[in-house]
Amino acid sequence: MHGTPPLAGWSVATVSLRPMAKLGILGLPNTGKTTVFNALTRLSAPTAAHPFSTLEPNVGVAPVPDQLLEAAAEVEASKKIVHATLELLDLPAMARASSGRGLAAQFLGRLREMEGLIVVLRAFDDPAVPHEESGLSPSDQAEELLLELAVADADVFERRLERIAKEATADASKRPAAEALTRAVHLLSSGAALRSQQWDEEALKVFRDSAPLTLKPAVWVVNVGEDDSEGHVDEVRAVVPPGDTVVAISARLEEEGALLDPEDRGELFEALGLGEGALVKVVKAAYDALGLISFYTVGPKESHAWTVRRGATAPEAAGKIHTDLQRGFIRAEVASMEAVIASGGWDQAKRENRVRIEGKDYLVGEGDVIVVRFSV
Ligand code: GDP
């Protein structure tokens, strides 16, 4: 049945097929990566209790949970509801540094294509699931993975620096790049992530050409036992770059919950004291870390969440809906989602003067509901 979904949880009645950003899920073997992936995407990829069970990446789409969207769909009696989405890749397990395997070039290539990372750390103990490859200390795993990523970036930057330093002796315009790379190599060699330090725009431009792994925003997911508390979050926060989000979840419970319909899931999580479920936090944190915001179009036909970069103008946002809307953009009618819901719908919000007119320089805000006036 495709009624309006209840407020608790989220719905995948319809999912936009053009996800905005790609996130890679990584971690040491048997930490629960595939289980997290399944819970986020509600696909059932095979999980197995042996290391390196994931050889080829699973690719899936995670709907961004959005209670405002669902509330709007309810007041508009929308036939269809379209959530914003993120694309997820469940990457093959990373080998431990101590195993001497290092990171395969192919794996690193994949990782560089990602815009952000979800890193799974294992805290759950289960005799049925071997943990030789990861251990049970999430902060040790976080340190190891950070080091692996920093070493991979340092390799690339050192090679680039060698080349650019040579060029810079003859070409002064290359000197700032050489200096930025020198500082980066220094930081990376100490095992620290590039994002743990502030860089000016010029340096960032130089770095971005190599898609460095330690510049990518990361959300750390501590996979705790079913009866564990959030005790591990602080110890992980202490070792990851400041500003990174750390979330504790029980991947297995979340996976079970994800297979239920929103109502039953709500009841299960309520009974377990899990609130809306921790996955919601993971997806929201990833969305935030990537600098993404949602704006909306609402109506009886559909209520739709669209994704733009923070700082997008009204015409850029309009272009997400249709290129004609950007090309022929005249103005946007804008109200906040809260106002639309409080009024009981867009039309009513308009009658109550809660809708304003914005021009082409308007920067779209998180939670704006927009109607684009255009002419082509
Ligand atoms: P990956 O190798 O990191 O992708 O790990 P998987 O997601 O394949 O999980 C490895 C094994 O651990 C599977 O048998 C999972 O069912 C199990 N597992 C994952 N998360 C949890 C959890 O939170 N608790 C318990 N007890 N087992 C889990």
Side-chain angles (χ1 to χ4, degrees):
M1 217 188 75
H2 288 279
T4 307
L7 285 181
W10 62 93
S11 153
V12 274
T14 349
V15 158
S16 157
L17 293 175
R18 286 186 307 159
M20 180 71 195
K22 263 193 206 172
L23 285 156
I25 302 181
L26 78 158
L28 293 165
N30 265 350
T31 49
K33 292 178 297 299
T34 301
T35 310
V36 168
F37 172 85
N38 286 341
L40 287 168
T41 59
R42 274 167 274 170
L43 292 175
S44 248
T47 56
H50 57 80
F52 306 108
S53 60
T54 318
L55 295 173
E56 274 303 305
N58 298 307
V59 183
V61 167
V64 177
D66 193 331
Q67 298 196 352
L68 285 177
L69 175 66
E70 285 167 17
E74 199 165 296
V75 297
E76 293 282 353
S78 309
K79 285 206 186 67
K80 205 169 134 189
I81 173 165
V82 184
H83 281 80
T85 54
L86 292 170
E87 186 174 337
L88 293 182
L89 272 87
D90 178 15
L91 298 162
M94 282 173 78
R96 281 203 108 150
S98 55
S99 72
R101 276 185 283 245
L103 296 181
Q106 199 190 3
F107 177 80
L108 290 171
R110 282 267 188 199
L111 217 50
R112 289 212 172 82
E113 292 165 18
M114 303 296 120
E115 284 172 62
L117 307 174
I118 294 176
V119 191
V120 180
L121 307 169
R122 174 164 173 177
F124 74 89
D125 192 6
D126 183 340
V129 184
H131 61 254
E132 292 79 42
E133 298 276 348
S134 64
L136 296 177
S137 159
S139 54
D140 284 356
Q141 294 160 52
E143 281 186 309
E144 263 189 66
L145 295 173
L146 276 171
L147 188 61
E148 286 275 7
L149 298 176
V151 166
D153 280 350
D155 273 356
V156 173
F157 277 29
E158 272 163 15
R159 270 182 277 130
R160 262 185 84 192
L161 177 59
E162 231 169 84
R163 210 174 49 237
I164 291 193
K166 249 182 241 153
E167 293 168 6
T169 53
D171 178 355
S173 71
K174 297 273 166 74
R175 270 176 215 152
E179 274 161 29
L181 287 173
T182 306
R183 285 198 291 139
V185 167
H186 185 75
L187 181 72
L188 290 164
S189 306
S190 76
L194 284 175
R195 68 178 181 284
S196 63
Q197 193 171 305
Q198 294 281 336
W199 301 94
D200 56 37
E201 209 29 62
E202 214 175 332
L204 288 173
K205 240 180 97 197
V206 175
F207 298 167
R208 281 193 196 112
D209 287 343
S210 313
L213 305 171
T214 63
L215 203 55
K216 297 182 191 299
V219 176
W220 301 85
V221 173
V222 186
N223 188 7
V224 297
E226 279 91 311
D227 47 9
D228 208 343
S229 67
E230 295 222 347
H232 301 283
V233 168
D234 290 339
E235 68 172 88
V236 173
R237 208 173 273 142
V239 298
V240 300
D244 283 15
T245 307
V246 184
V247 182
I249 76 170
S250 163
R252 187 169 264 180
L253 276 184
E254 297 281 348
E255 184 184 35
E256 280 165 21
L259 296 174
L260 302 173
D261 65 46
E263 217 164 313
D264 293 342
R265 179 170 58 238
E267 273 172 29
L268 173 73
F269 286 175
E270 207 56 55
L272 294 167
L274 290 176
E276 53 178 353
L279 280 181
V280 174
K281 281 192 259 172
V282 176
V283 178
K284 281 185 185 155
Y287 208 63
D288 270 1
L290 292 167
L292 303 175
I293 58 171
S294 289
F295 75 94
Y296 303 94
T297 51
V298 301
K301 215 174 105 212
E302 69 169 32
S303 287
H304 197 135
W306 305 87
T307 307
V308 282
R309 305 263 158 215
R310 200 175 283 283
T313 62
E316 281 165 357
K320 295 282 168 197
I321 305 169
H322 197 285
T323 46
D324 282 353
L325 269 60
Q326 179 163 16
R327 210 154 43 88
F329 182 92
I330 300 170
R331 62 179 186 273
E333 296 174 5
V334 183
S336 77
M337 193 60 147
E338 282 86 357
V340 171
I341 295 164
S343 296
W346 174 264
D347 293 339
Q348 189 59 24
K350 222 169 158 173
R351 280 194 288 274
E352 290 171 7
N353 287 324
R354 293 172 119 159
V355 174
R356 57 186 200 277
I357 306 289
E358 299 285 359
K360 63 179 173 22
D361 296 328
Y362 176 67
L363 300 185
V364 171
E366 167 93 70
D368 280 352
V369 183
I370 292 184
V371 170
V372 179
R373 298 292 165 200
F374 71 108
S375 151
V376 282

